[in-house]
Amino acid sequence: MQGMSDLTGKPEVIVYVVSDAAGDTGELVVRAAIAQFHPIHADIRRAPFVSDVALLARITEQAAIAEAIVLYTLVRPHLREAMRQLAEEAGITAIDLLGSFIETLEQRTGRKSRQEPGLNHVLDADYFRKVEAVEFAVKYDDARDTMGVLKADIVLVGVSRTSKTPLSMYLAHQKFKVANVPLVPELKPPEELFTLPKRKVIGLTIDTGYLNVIRKERLKALGLPNTAAYATKNRIQEELEYAESIMKKLGCVVIDVSHKAVEETASLIMEYIRTP
């Protein structure tokens, strides 16, 4: 039944973000809206750089089969109109994020829009900083290269499944270079971590019971038995106590991510980082 999934990993809502540019704007709007319905899980399927009606038709067909919502940011008028008609014929919900505002601006200014997709990204220094930050987050995920700890604006530390990677990517879209370091009792944290200013490091913790549920569901999604040590409460408690001891040595701020959306935790981190 739609709307009944929780921690099963199955999406409660499927959203196609359709754009004749990269689709960043549409995805950010979807994520901002979905955050208001936490813990709903949304499957966001981006369809960028759409340039013809035939491709729109294929996307619409896929969206109809998936019973998805379509949100589109199409600058070219003929594509917007085609998307509207296709959605109406397919009987799916399609939301035009830009069209009505562009038309309103045309009426107010007496000018026609340039109808050029992606203008807000063209040779934009801000855009390139975001791209650089995303590439940084991917390169230095899970302490693959400990040099990232020294180069990062923010370093996230915590046990497995405390949203370190999703947070790194979200913060990267806010142009922060983020490295993250998993804390595991059997692995010594990189020495570089203890040389950083404490305000640069963010510790992530979580409730034992909540993490127990998340890890069991993760094992299930991988087709593994949920009785593995990874998901036992004793093992989780051991990891959390170890992580707490490391965070105390670091003297870093600690955020409890239990039942928090990624956007909410990221907002707390950014507020902390930006406070003198």
Side-chain angles (χ1 to χ4, degrees), residues 39-55:
I40 277 181
H41 172 56
D43 180 359
I44 301 173
R45 303 178 183 179
R46 203 193 283 202
F49 306 111
V50 175
S51 58
D52 59 72
V53 175
L55 180 54

Side-chain angles (χ1 to χ4, degrees), residues 9 20 40 57 64 79 94 132 134 140 146 150 155 173 179 181 186 189-190 210-211 216 244 265 269 274:
D20 43 14
I40 277 181
L79 290 179
E132 185 181 6
V134 170
Y140 297 112
T146 56
L150 299 175
V155 179
H173 278 85
V181 178
E186 292 78 14
Y210 188 58
L211 183 54
K216 282 183 176 179
E244 183 182 0
T265 305
I269 292 171
R274 288 167 175 163

Side-chain angles (χ1 to χ4, degrees), residues 7 38-39 205-207 209-211 214 256-262 264-265:
L7 291 171
H38 180 71
T205 190
I206 192 169
D207 175 74
Y210 188 58
L211 183 54
I214 291 173
D256 189 336
V257 300
S258 306
H259 306 286
K260 282 187 176 69
V262 168
E264 184 180 356
T265 305

Side-chain angles (χ1 to χ4, degrees), residues 157-158 183 198 201-206 240 243-257 260 265 268-269 272:
V157 298
L183 297 180
K198 64 181 181 180
V201 184
I202 306 292
L204 303 175
T205 190
I206 192 169
L240 289 173
E244 183 182 0
S245 70
I246 296 297
M247 291 173 197
K248 282 183 177 178
K249 288 180 182 177
L250 293 168
C252 64
V253 67
V254 179
I255 298 175
D256 189 336
V257 300
K260 282 187 176 69
T265 305
L268 291 172
I269 292 171
Y272 173 75

Side-chain angles (χ1 to χ4, degrees), residues 188-202:
K188 187 178 179 181
E191 290 297 329
E192 294 88 345
L193 191 59
F194 297 93
T195 68
L196 299 176
K198 64 181 181 180
R199 285 191 63 81
K200 195 174 180 179
V201 184
I202 306 292

Side-chain angles (χ1 to χ4, degrees), residues 86-139:
L86 287 165
E88 187 176 321
E89 292 167 5
I92 62 173
T93 300
I95 301 163
D96 183 356
L97 187 62
L98 293 181
S100 61
F101 190 53
I102 288 176
E103 291 166 6
T104 298
L105 287 174
E106 287 179 334
Q107 293 169 6
R108 178 62 62 90
T109 64
R111 297 168 178 252
K112 295 295 290 183
S113 74
R114 293 171 63 176
Q115 300 176 12
E116 297 177 36
L119 285 179
N120 58 324
H121 287 165
V122 176
L123 298 180
D124 187 316
D126 196 55
Y127 175 68
F128 285 116
R129 281 198 297 272
K130 183 190 294 185
V131 171
E132 185 181 6
V134 170
E135 291 174 346
F136 186 94
V138 171
K139 182 175 182 179

